[in-house]
Amino acid sequence: MLLGVGFFVTLVLAWYHGEKGHQRVGGVELLMLAALLLIAGVAVRQVTESGASDDSSETVLAPPLGAASVEGASIAVLPFENQSAEPENEYFSDGITDDIITQLAKIGGLKVISKTSVMKYRDRGNKSLKEIGEELSVAAILEGGVRRVGDRVRINAQLIDARTDRNMWAETYDQELTAANIFAIQSDVALEIARALRATLAPEVSERIERAPTTSLEAYDLYARGRYLWGQQTRESLEESVDLFQRAIAIDSTYALAYS
């Protein structure tokens, strides 16, 4: 930038002195000056880029998985399907989707598409994952389903290469319905995706991902219901969601997500 400004100033001064009757700077000299400035600019840029490449970061990401137009370390988490017999359990599957997106967003350098952008694919019809990947410009897509029956929860998830439709990772979790198990599943999904995308996590990042926000299943359930209603963005749903968040806080006063 400084070289560019200096070149502009040089041109103005050359023109000014030429108009005043002093020795005019010739076109050849100006071209030589421009060439020298451009060479210096290229050299500075190369040095800067070389220094930047030596900097270390907490996450080392894999080469791009998709086509040239697709972001390299990028993922979209499609809304997890509610596979429970009760339609009202959709808030629970939505909560799992939200939590996994939140966990993945903790991985520095990984582009994670927001829930707002992926919700339109809840009922995607005949649209293929490759088409969705192209629309969202992501290299990978995570999809899955949640079944909640009594005191058991079953979550299945699979990571797909959006370019080739190749299955990169898949897992099914069938466990007792507890807060600890739910958060452990979400953390495991995030860590497995990081491995599949060949991302190296710093210990403090892994610790953040594995940290459970609450130990109370009841508080988590109230929070998930509240967040589901908040997403509907009506006066009634917002007021009800506030009540649910406050009830969650009453059960667990350290539940930071319910406060936020």
Side-chain angles (χ1 to χ4, degrees):
M1 290 175 64
L2 289 174
L3 289 169
V5 172
F7 180 52
F8 177 77
V9 172
T10 302
L11 288 178
V12 172
L13 290 175
W15 171 82
Y16 176 80
H17 287 295
E19 291 295 317
K20 290 295 185 180
H22 298 290
Q23 183 179 359
R24 184 186 299 273
V25 180
V28 176
E29 287 84 352
L30 286 176
L31 288 175
M32 291 177 63
L33 177 59
L36 289 173
L37 289 170
L38 287 174
I39 292 171
V42 171
V44 170
R45 180 176 180 180
Q46 289 177 340
V47 171
T48 302
E49 291 177 346
S50 175
S53 64
D54 293 335
D55 291 340
S56 60
S57 59
E58 69 177 17
T59 304
V60 179
L61 297 169
L65 297 174
S69 61
V70 174
E71 296 280 353
S74 53
I75 185 171
V77 181
L78 299 187
F80 273 42
E81 180 186 357
N82 174 29
Q83 299 175 341
S84 305
E86 299 81 11
E88 59 269 18
N89 274 336
E90 188 169 298
Y91 82 90
F92 189 77
S93 58
D94 268 19
I96 297 295
T97 304
D98 279 337
D99 292 335
I100 291 176
I101 291 175
T102 300
Q103 295 287 51
L104 291 173
K106 296 175 183 177
I107 303 175
L110 179 62
K111 173 189 172 184
V112 184
I113 302 299
S114 68
K115 181 187 175 184
T116 304
S117 298
V118 299
M119 285 306 294
K120 61 182 178 181
Y121 298 105
R122 181 190 294 279
D123 300 314
R124 63 176 186 262
N126 296 324
K127 185 167 292 187
S128 67
L129 293 180
K130 182 178 180 180
E131 291 173 321
I132 295 174
E134 290 175 349
E135 291 178 5
L136 295 175
S137 296
V138 294
I141 292 177
L142 180 71
E143 63 175 359
V146 180
R147 181 184 297 274
R148 180 178 178 177
V149 180
D151 61 351
R152 304 288 299 182
V153 62
R154 182 183 178 90
I155 300 176
N156 60 78
Q158 57 179 347
L159 182 67
I160 307 296
D161 187 322
R163 183 191 62 175
T164 63
D165 207 28
R166 178 175 62 90
N167 193 313
M168 302 174 64
W169 168 83
E171 187 61 81
T172 298
Y173 305 88
D174 191 345
Q175 298 183 7
E176 181 183 359
L177 182 58
T178 66
N181 284 342
I182 290 174
F183 297 130
I185 291 171
Q186 295 168 359
S187 299
D188 189 69
V189 169
L191 294 174
E192 289 295 339
I193 289 174
R195 294 188 187 99
L197 296 179
R198 290 179 287 172
T200 302
L201 301 179
E204 60 269 20
V205 177
S206 298
E207 182 181 348
R208 287 179 57 204
I209 290 176
E210 294 173 350
R211 187 181 303 141
T214 182
T215 58
S216 170
L217 178 61
E218 185 179 0
Y220 172 77
D221 193 75
L222 289 168
Y223 169 70
R225 290 178 185 272
R227 191 165 54 180
Y228 179 77
L229 290 171
W230 180 85
Q232 296 179 9
Q233 292 293 296
T234 67
R235 182 180 182 86
E236 292 75 15
S237 67
L238 290 173
E239 290 176 346
E240 188 173 353
S241 68
V242 171
D243 177 65
L244 290 168
F245 294 142
Q246 291 175 339
R247 288 167 58 189
I249 294 170
I251 294 171
D252 184 356
S253 60
T254 66
Y255 198 178
L257 289 177
Y259 278 107
S260 66

